[in-house]
Amino acid sequence: MQPSAMANSIDQLRVAFIPVLAPGHMIPLMDIARIFARHGADVTFITTTGNAARFRRDVDGDSSSGYKIKLHALQLPSDEVGLPLGLESFSETTSREMTAKLYRALGLLENQIENFLLESGVDCIVSDTILGWTVDVATRLEIPRLVFQCAGYIALSIAHCISSHAPEDKVESDTEPFELPGLPNKIELTKLQIPNWVKTTNKMVAEIMERILVAQRRSFGILMNSFLELEADYKDYFETNCGMRTWPIGPVSSWVKEDNVDEDDGGLFSEVMDWLDLQQPNSVLYVGFGSMTVFPDEQLLEIAHALQDSDCRFIWVVRKRGEEGGEEDNGKRYLPEGFEERMKKEKKGLIMRKWAPQIKILNHPAVGGFMTQCGWNSTLESICAGQPVISWPLTAEQFYIEKLMTQVMRTAVPVGSRRWWDMNNPAALEIVKREQITKAITLVLGGGDEVEGMRERARELGRAAKTAVSPNGSSYNSLVALMDELKSVKLKKESSQR
């Protein structure tokens, strides 16, 4: 959409976006900010100085194209909370204490953000669900706050079901499956798969979660990175049972971009694409566990042996922290001796560190499967690319999301992960053995009716996702309706002040 297309009707709608400082939260919220700008809004994306740099090229490019979008960078008060200078992302924290300090530092920006919003005269705030204090800012400014949820409707629905019915109390064993009552599909979990914050007896953690939920209920509604063709039944369930309005506008990555290719990547992008071009269709497994996952050495070894034993071709994104929290060779020292060199020499695999053009890799015809931690962004990207998945949930709402893939969509093969993992405690990870991993790889890349059925279902959903964000698609229409409503709220406020 060209900047002039909607300029006459809604270009005066001024919207501020406030993300949580984690890549999996910031990137989709930036996508939404860019979508709003492309539909005529005047957009400001508020973040810290270090995080602003990663979005500068996208924002400058959109601004040069005539869209009204800009960054507002704030200095994180690191000294006040005892954080190392330059640590500005939850993906870089290495302990619960450090995570808490970063969360506290974000809260200390409240006054600065409120003063900026007041001076800017914004009409609406869109902020991450974790930033519950932003609803207080919105209330004082007499403007609506929209919540951004970075998980899907199924995760919200399962969370509500557990909170309302406590079905886990009906089983004695941690490993005995229990059914979640009242959901649109039959879904089973075990106690081991429920997030720690649900089961916590820590009063402070429970109070924080309650404040977030209360702030969500006080907000104007929720923006969802999802689409009706994927989760219509769970949208209806959540809205009916929780009484909140939602707008599904996803997959947001499909609206504005694919991957940003770093011009200074030393030719890495070209190397990856050239390697893929040499492979047979559906023959390569892409292995990536998101920006937050740092496996202990033992699990890295099991994955490496499984890739080797299955004799598959692969691209594997490895992250490994050094003991002091800095990156230390990203796991190279912890692979089997000679593994990386042997795989590269035999042209069987590539190991990448820190960054990979995930969307472009998943959409390459040589790729035939995706091993993922079931983060919501990666789940949507696998759907858009029509890829069958090896599901390996670890933390957050990932076990909930796995149920969508394995029990509802039926586009995934579970690797056998059984226990929710607190990533601040690497020793608590239940190691998945190479035999289980090899079995899942062989099934997904081996062909056959079962995997071809998964692939076709994924491709059908991928086609639906593209239609959803096209003009008159479900997500497109949802966005337009929301922006029209926000415009009406703004006009009513202005009329009452005359």
Side-chain angles (χ1 to χ4, degrees):
M1 179 175 294
Q2 294 300 311
S4 60
M6 300 185 72
N8 292 332
S9 61
I10 62 171
D11 65 342
Q12 295 302 303
L13 186 65
R14 291 158 293 188
V15 186
F17 291 79
I18 310 172
V20 156
L21 305 182
H25 293 241
M26 287 188 290
I27 292 171
L29 192 58
M30 171 55 79
D31 288 344
I32 294 172
R34 296 176 68 196
I35 293 165
F36 268 64
R38 291 181 180 211
H39 282 74
D42 186 343
V43 166
T44 303
F45 193 85
I46 302 172
T47 188
T48 60
T49 51
N51 287 299
R54 73 181 298 156
F55 298 115
R56 181 68 61 187
R57 185 170 57 178
D58 282 341
V59 170
D60 288 350
D62 284 1
S63 181
S64 296
S65 297
Y67 301 112
K68 294 184 177 180
I69 183 169
K70 58 184 176 294
L71 290 162
H72 181 69
L74 299 173
Q75 189 70 42
L76 193 71
S78 302
D79 288 344
E80 292 183 46
V81 298
L83 275 177
L85 189 64
L87 194 154
E88 299 184 15
S89 172
F90 287 103
S91 65
E92 299 167 0
T93 61
T94 57
S95 66
R96 292 187 188 90
E97 292 74 18
M98 194 177 288
T99 298
K101 287 177 181 179
L102 183 54
Y103 184 76
R104 192 158 63 249
L106 264 174
L108 291 176
L109 293 175
E110 179 177 349
N111 289 337
Q112 287 186 62
I113 290 174
E114 182 170 351
N115 290 336
F116 171 77
L117 296 177
L118 182 62
E119 293 170 3
S120 303
V122 300
D123 304 307
C124 177
I125 296 171
V126 181
S127 61
D128 196 285
T129 184
I130 295 174
L131 304 179
W133 51 265
T134 57
V135 77
D136 296 321
V137 173
T139 300
R140 290 191 291 268
L141 297 177
E142 299 181 330
I143 57 175
R145 179 239 181 172
L146 282 165
V147 178
F148 167 60
Q149 271 284 357
C150 66
Y153 284 104
I154 193 165
L156 299 185
S157 298
I158 291 176
H160 173 79
C161 179
I162 291 174
S163 174
S164 300
H165 302 289
E168 72 276 15
D169 292 345
K170 297 177 182 178
V171 296
E172 295 183 4
S173 167
D174 285 346
T175 58
E176 182 183 349
F178 59 84
E179 186 173 343
L180 296 162
L183 292 180
N185 302 92
K186 180 180 179 179
I187 292 179
E188 293 183 331
L189 285 168
T190 69
K191 288 182 179 180
L192 289 178
Q193 297 171 333
I194 299 175
N196 279 3
W197 67 72
V198 176
K199 300 181 289 186
T200 185
T201 57
N202 184 309
K203 186 177 179 180
M204 184 179 71
V205 172
E207 288 176 351
I208 290 172
M209 298 307 298
E210 180 61 22
R211 285 200 298 270
I212 289 171
L213 290 174
V214 169
Q216 183 170 277
R217 289 192 288 268
R218 291 173 54 204
S219 299
F220 189 76
I222 304 176
L223 277 182
M224 300 293 296
N225 184 15
S226 188
F227 58 105
L228 287 180
E229 292 78 2
L230 178 65
E231 292 195 290
D233 290 344
Y234 288 91
K235 175 181 184 292
D236 292 344
Y237 173 91
F238 178 75
E239 290 184 337
T240 299
N241 287 277
C242 296
M244 290 204 65
R245 302 179 67 198
T246 70
W247 291 267
I249 61 169
V252 297
S253 63
S254 296
W255 286 82
V256 293
K257 67 172 178 60
E258 288 188 348
D259 289 297
N260 293 320
V261 178
D262 188 347
E263 295 173 354
D264 300 319
D265 71 351
L268 179 60
F269 174 74
S270 295
E271 178 186 351
V272 172
M273 291 297 114
D274 289 347
W275 184 84
L276 282 171
D277 288 343
L278 298 174
Q279 313 307 318
Q280 294 297 314
N282 298 329
S283 66
V284 176
L285 180 70
Y286 175 62
V287 183
F289 296 94
S291 59
M292 300 288 286
T293 305
V294 180
F295 278 131
D297 308 342
E298 185 180 355
Q299 188 63 81
L300 288 176
L301 280 168
E302 293 299 314
I303 296 171
H305 280 293
L307 292 170
Q308 185 172 260
D309 295 347
S310 63
D311 199 31
C312 75
R313 301 188 181 270
F314 64 87
I315 296 175
W316 181 16
V317 183
V318 181
R319 295 186 70 240
K320 185 75 178 71
R321 284 197 183 97
E323 291 182 359
E324 299 302 320
E327 295 295 336
E328 186 179 300
D329 207 19
N330 283 302
K332 185 173 182 180
R333 299 192 319 167
Y334 307 98
L335 300 174
E337 185 175 354
F339 173 81
E340 183 170 4
E341 293 76 12
R342 187 166 58 255
M343 293 299 104
K344 194 168 185 179
K345 181 180 179 180
E346 297 173 2
K347 295 183 171 55
K348 284 192 173 180
L350 295 178
I351 295 178
M352 306 185 69
R353 297 178 169 85
K354 295 187 180 180
W355 174 86
Q358 180 162 296
I359 295 175
K360 284 186 169 63
I361 290 172
L362 289 174
N363 281 277
H364 195 284
V367 176
F370 179 21
M371 184 183 291
T372 171
Q373 89 287 12
C374 304
W376 188 243
N377 296 328
S378 290
T379 297
L380 289 174
E381 288 165 7
S382 73
I383 290 168
C384 291
Q387 291 290 356
V389 159
I390 297 172
S391 58
W392 191 330
L394 295 162
T395 192
E397 303 93 349
Q398 292 164 10
F399 280 95
Y400 299 171
I401 295 167
E402 183 190 38
K403 304 307 175 185
L404 177 71
M405 303 171 77
T406 59
Q407 298 181 17
V408 180
M409 293 161 40
R410 296 182 294 120
T411 58
V413 174
V415 78
S417 177
R418 301 188 310 163
R419 183 190 296 269
W420 194 92
W421 180 35
D422 177 354
M423 289 194 293
N424 286 314
N425 182 11
L429 177 68
E430 183 175 82
I431 301 298
V432 178
K433 297 299 183 181
R434 68 192 69 175
E435 293 82 6
Q436 296 171 258
I437 306 169
T438 301
K439 182 179 178 180
I441 293 173
T442 302
L443 177 58
V444 167
L445 293 185
D449 291 343
E450 183 178 354
V451 73
E452 287 308 313
M454 288 192 292
R455 197 182 306 281
E456 182 50 42
R457 286 189 291 275
R459 286 172 176 165
E460 184 177 344
L461 284 167
R463 291 188 287 269
K466 290 178 176 64
T467 300
V469 300
S470 301
N472 293 318
S474 61
S475 293
Y476 185 99
N477 290 341
S478 181
L479 175 73
V480 171
L482 169 62
M483 295 188 72
D484 285 347
E485 186 168 347
L486 291 174
K487 180 70 173 180
S488 295
V489 171
K490 169 187 166 65
L491 292 175
K492 287 179 182 177
K493 178 183 175 183
E494 290 176 346
S495 297
S496 68
Q497 293 174 340
R498 288 174 186 155

